[in-house]
Amino acid sequence: MNFIGGKWSWPAGAAKLTSRNPADSRDVLGVFPDSPAGEVDRAVQAARQAFPAWKRCPAPERAKIIRRAGEIMARRKAALGALVTRECGKPLIEGLGDVQEAIDMAELAAGEGRRLYGQTTPSELPNKLCLTFREPVGVCGLITPWNFPIAIPAWKALHALVCGNTVVLKPAEDTPLCGAAFVKALEEAGIPAGVVNLVQGTGERTGRALVSHPGLALISFTGSTETGRGVAESCGRSGKRVSLECGGKNAQIILADARLDLAIEGALWGAFGTAGQRCTATSRLIVEEAVYERVLTRLLRQARRLRLGPGLKKGTQVGPLINERQMTRVLDYIALGKKEGARLLCGGRRAQRGPLARGWFIEPTLFAHVTPRMRIFQEEIFGPVLSVVKVAGLSEAVRVLNDCPYGLSSSIYTQDVNSALAAVRDIEAGIVYVNGPTIGAEVHLPFGGVKQSGNGHREAGKAGLDIFTEWKTVYVDYSGKLQRAQIDNS
Ligand code: NAD
């Protein structure tokens, strides 16, 4: 169902799509529409109508609704976490983490209702006041991926809303129910009709219609770099603001002086958490030669012990891929890695034992003897595949890390403060972890990447307000006469 102008409805004539559990394709969660352009138009019109009143509503009042939505999600956390796991496959502990991120985001965004600070600054002229305000941009189209199906809609929508924008959300077609559950929390929290609208559907039909709609001021997109580029082109043509959070090919460096137990634990969590399907997942491991063999031996031993299974099953550490297409894509990359001459240490196959045959599982896969220019080391695979490269030391490690089209997250394990800080300075990425894995962002810090991982914007943190607001600059002259800037005081 879609949520438009405060009402849930099914668009007339829309094709019916099915949401299935990726751990068991027989498990159907529900159906949803592939919304046509006319339905997108209805949602945009509802958001446009609601905009003037929502913009005028005091920000602390807007924040109260956001806070209530966070409380509703907190009360429902167990059920929502289980829904995330059932619809997108990640282990329950991660499904619950997804919901927690949305709750945290509600707390952060609601707090902004009493801040949204502007600036005051002296004028160059006497008896004159200069100040700035953040103003909402208008109706925002939000397009989100499936891998954080409640957290990412929350990242986008809650900041957009506290700033006074109205929104049309199009969640990923793999996780429509999670998108709807997030919107329901806002509905129950008392969001006025038309302020939040939900249109379900595929990227090709509903997503495209949203991006090209002339009634939107902005598109905030999270997804693959390839799709993001098309979205940005279309926004450029129609003069919309656009924020892109795209792919990654994140690397972890292990220097010889690192705590190897921590470094390996971090690499396994970074590479195989969410079955490697995080934009910040570790897919490249860059290891100093003095410890390379030791790292491989321990990594292999521990990777083999990881428990693959449905996310709702107790003890599961690695869940399925999101769908058959993505599973096939990852298997193709594994075949490519072998062809390129990398050494497959473990995994590399679809897991089909017993009930696993009903889902899209791939065994945690390790490649050693990888060289930096191999495609498996350059391209985003988005699956449980970790490629290991050997380097002589810190400077080569940073060079290899930077020699990649993406720049989202990164990590270095070392006990040496000089090495750590040199890496922090030289790594080309939006996020650098020292002695932590490449995953684990917190909502009160800016999130985003450089190079092909984005287009220069950040989400979350205070920086997350920037895309959703325009600055209004105000000059108040109380001198009682004409004062001419740049002329009267020169
Ligand atoms: P995707 O690009 O296939 O889809 C993302 C969203 O875009 C979906 O809602 C989809 O329906 C929509 N879409 C697809 N084609 C469209 C079009 N032509 N016009 C408008 N919308 C369209 O990505 P995905 O498979 O859902 O997610 C995985 C990708 O997302 C990975 O590349 C991952 O790195 C990236 N990602 C990035 C971040 C980040 O913050 N940087 C976070 C999570 C995921």
Side-chain angles (χ1 to χ4, degrees), residues 21-22 80-92 95-96 311-312:
N21 181 346
L80 288 174
L83 173 66
V84 169
T85 291
R86 198 171 148 219
E87 196 167 43
C88 88
K90 56 188 173 187
L92 185 57
L96 292 166
L312 288 172

Side-chain angles (χ1 to χ4, degrees), residues 144 146-147 170 173 203 207 221-224 227 246-247 279 380 447:
T144 54
W146 59 267
N147 64 340
K170 194 214 82 67
E173 51 269 51
F221 168 88
T222 299
S224 61
T227 311
C246 296
C279 52
E380 185 179 47
F447 181 92

